[in-house]
Amino acid sequence: MKYKGIIFDLDGVICSTDHYHYLAWKALADKLGAYFDETINNRLRGVSRMASLDIVLERYDGTLTEEEKLAAAEEKNATYRELLKQMTPADLSDEVKTTLDALRAKGLLLGIGSSSKNTRFILGRIGLGDYFDKISDGTNITRSKPDPEVFVKAAQFLELAPEDCLVVEDAKAGVEAALAAGMDAAAIGDAVSCGLATYNLGRFSDLLRVVE
Ligand code: B16
Ligand code: MG
C-alpha cells in the first residue's frame, strides 16, 4: 500500500454545505446592503470564516470595526448552523460511504483535515460522528489553508509521517496546503483544474485505484 492514512477535507469532499454557506452569507450581505452571488460564494471554498467575511465585504460600501466584523461572522455562523440542522445521513452519498468503508478495510487510517469550526457538528448530522480515527479542524489551527497546519496536525493526531499520508481536497488552497505539508494530494471537483495535485479524481471511488 502506498499510504498508511488518508486525510479528507470535509466540505466539498465528504459532503457539500456550499448552499448553506451561500444562504447564510447572502442573508448577512442583504442585511448590510452588499452585493453577493454564487460566483462570490465559490471563492469562499476552503477559506476560513473571517477571510470569507473579508471577501463578502469587498462589495460593501461602508466599513466595519473589528468588533462589528466578529459580530457579523458570528451572525452568519448562527444562520449557517440553523440551516445545517436540515442535513441528515441522506446527505452522505452511498459512493462516499462505501469507498470509506473499503479504504478502512484495507487497513488505512482515516482522518479529517478541515478549515471548518463546525466539522464535528456536520459529521454528526450526516451520521459520521464517530467514524473517523482523528479530526483536525478549524478549532485546532491558527493558520488557514494554504498553510499546511491543518494537515500537519492531522498527521500528528494519526501518529503518521507526512509521506505516509494522502490528502483528498476540492480546493486549490487545500491542495497547496497538502503539498506544503509534504503529503501527496488527490484533487476532486474544482481542485482538479489547478493542475497541482499528485492525482486527479474523476469521482470519489477512484481513490480505491490510487491507494493500491
Ligand atoms: P466554518 P473545508 C471550509 O471547510 C469551507 O469550505 C469554507 O467555505 C468555510 O468558510 C470554512 O470551512 C470555515 O467554515 O465557518 O464552518 O468554520 O472545505 O476546509 O472542509
Ligand atoms: Mg473543501
Side-chain angles (χ1 to χ4, degrees):
M1 199 83 67
K2 278 190 214 148
Y3 305 100
K4 292 182 180 163
I6 307 194
I7 302 168
F8 297 88
D9 172 58
L10 177 64
D11 198 9
V13 172
I14 299 296
C15 62
S16 177
T17 58
D18 270 10
H19 189 59
Y20 300 128
H21 277 298
Y22 169 76
L23 292 174
W25 284 122
K26 176 79 176 138
L28 178 74
D30 284 352
K31 195 173 151 189
L32 292 170
Y35 178 79
F36 186 72
D37 63 16
E38 294 275 7
T39 309
I40 301 173
N41 192 57
N42 284 340
R43 289 173 54 203
L44 310 183
R45 205 165 282 150
V47 175
S48 74
R49 195 180 306 163
M50 293 310 289
S52 296
L53 176 64
D54 284 335
I55 293 172
V56 172
L57 293 178
E58 285 173 6
R59 301 294 288 265
Y60 176 56
D61 285 336
T63 42
L64 296 183
T65 62
E66 278 313 303
E67 203 176 316
E68 287 167 337
K69 276 192 185 182
L70 286 173
E74 196 48 55
E75 184 178 322
K76 179 267 171 178
N77 192 50
T79 311
Y80 176 58
R81 282 180 71 98
E82 205 45 47
L83 291 164
L84 287 177
K85 290 182 184 164
Q86 294 172 32
M87 291 188 94
T88 71
D91 288 296
L92 175 66
S93 77
D94 285 344
E95 178 181 356
V96 169
K97 184 63 170 58
T98 308
T99 304
L100 289 173
D101 287 344
L103 292 168
R104 172 159 283 157
K106 288 176 185 288
L108 288 155
L109 289 176
L110 307 180
I112 290 282
S114 167
S115 306
S116 176
K117 293 183 172 164
N118 293 300
T119 295
R120 284 179 166 80
F121 184 59
I122 294 167
L123 288 173
R125 295 301 313 167
I126 61 174
L128 293 181
D130 296 319
Y131 189 86
F132 290 92
D133 296 300
K134 296 290 172 190
I135 293 170
S136 172
D137 66 13
T139 65
N140 62 256
I141 55 169
T142 54
R143 298 177 302 278
S144 218
K145 300 169 190 175
D147 188 285
E149 185 180 12
V150 74
F151 295 129
V152 169
K153 292 257 169 69
Q156 284 170 357
F157 294 162
L158 290 166
E159 298 183 41
L160 294 178
E163 59 270 27
D164 290 328
C165 298
L166 172 68
V167 168
V168 188
E169 258 292 347
D170 75 314
K172 181 185 178 208
V175 170
E176 290 171 335
L179 299 176
M183 301 171 188
D184 282 354
I188 191 163
D190 269 17
V192 169
S193 62
C194 78
L196 297 173
T198 320
Y199 315 98
N200 289 317
L201 306 179
R203 52 188 306 155
F204 194 84
S205 57
D206 289 346
L207 265 178
L208 294 170
R209 196 168 34 75
V210 159
V211 298
E212 280 308 325

